[in-house]
Amino acid sequence: KALYNATVVEKSASKREELANRIGEILKEYETAEIALEQAKALMNATAVEKSASKREELANRIGEILKEYATTEIALEQSKALYNATVVEKSASKREELANRIGEILKEYGTAEIALKQAEALHNATVGEESASKKEERARQIKDLLARYGMKWDDLFP
């Protein structure tokens, strides 16, 4: 936990990733879901300050590898958060949509309101800079359906 806690206050994305790697070394030795979650959370924290969208996605993919070994809703949520974080800095609307759809795949498997909210937020980001009105309308329908299916309102998306 101390290494994860250090990622919360560390300003450098690369140092956050280094700390996550150190947690990964501990995980190799002890192989517990709790340590796996700490590593996933540390990697997600690195995405919060990483400037590159592709690096954010790479970190999300690393969380996905952890998820394959330790299939928990908590780790799935961390990957969803990391993928959402990639949509924040991604310049391409179509790539943001692709990332949102990846969250949707996680949602199919784990089905939590928190993951649905991350997908809705990512879909919203996919509308930014989208030139096609029909695509924007489709994303809005998807968001509306997600929120309804998981008992949420627009206010949950935009508090």
Side-chain angles (χ1 to χ4, degrees):
K1 285 210 184 250
L3 290 171
Y4 161 72
N5 288 341
T7 70
V8 174
V9 295
E10 176 57 56
K11 292 182 181 7
S12 163
S14 62
K15 288 186 179 177
R16 286 182 181 200
E17 185 177 3
E18 287 174 23
L19 290 163
N21 291 341
R22 288 177 58 195
I23 297 169
E25 292 302 315
I26 296 167
L27 178 60
K28 285 178 187 174
E29 187 171 338
Y30 294 99
E31 298 181 350
T32 70
E34 293 81 8
I35 297 170
L37 177 59
E38 294 301 310
Q39 185 182 24
K41 288 168 38 179
L43 289 166
M44 196 290 300
N45 279 345
T47 70
V49 295
E50 175 58 53
K51 290 176 178 45
S52 163
S54 62
K55 181 66 176 179
R56 286 183 182 203
E57 184 177 7
E58 177 188 316
L59 293 166
N61 291 342
R62 286 187 57 195
I63 298 169
E65 291 302 313
I66 296 168
L67 184 59
K68 287 179 186 175
E69 290 292 315
Y70 301 92
T72 69
T73 56
E74 294 88 355
I75 295 172
L77 178 59
E78 294 305 315
Q79 186 181 23
S80 299
K81 289 177 184 177
L83 289 167
Y84 164 76
N85 283 347
T87 71
V88 173
V89 296
E90 176 57 55
K91 292 179 181 13
S92 164
S94 62
K95 180 65 176 179
R96 289 190 300 266
E97 180 181 358
E98 177 188 316
L99 293 164
N101 290 337
R102 286 187 58 195
I103 297 170
E105 291 303 312
I106 297 167
L107 181 61
K108 285 179 189 174
E109 180 78 21
Y110 294 92
T112 70
E114 294 86 359
I115 294 171
L117 186 58
K118 285 296 148 198
Q119 185 183 21
E121 291 170 342
L123 286 166
H124 176 263
N125 285 351
T127 66
V128 176
E130 175 58 63
E131 295 181 15
S132 167
S134 64
K135 281 193 172 197
K136 284 183 178 184
E137 289 172 8
E138 176 58 28
R139 298 295 85 71
R141 277 192 295 278
Q142 285 179 288
I143 292 167
K144 181 181 175 188
D145 291 346
L146 269 173
L147 295 176
R149 188 168 46 239
Y150 288 90
M152 294 181 283
K153 302 175 290 222
W154 281 103
D155 290 346
D156 296 320
L157 187 57
F158 305 108

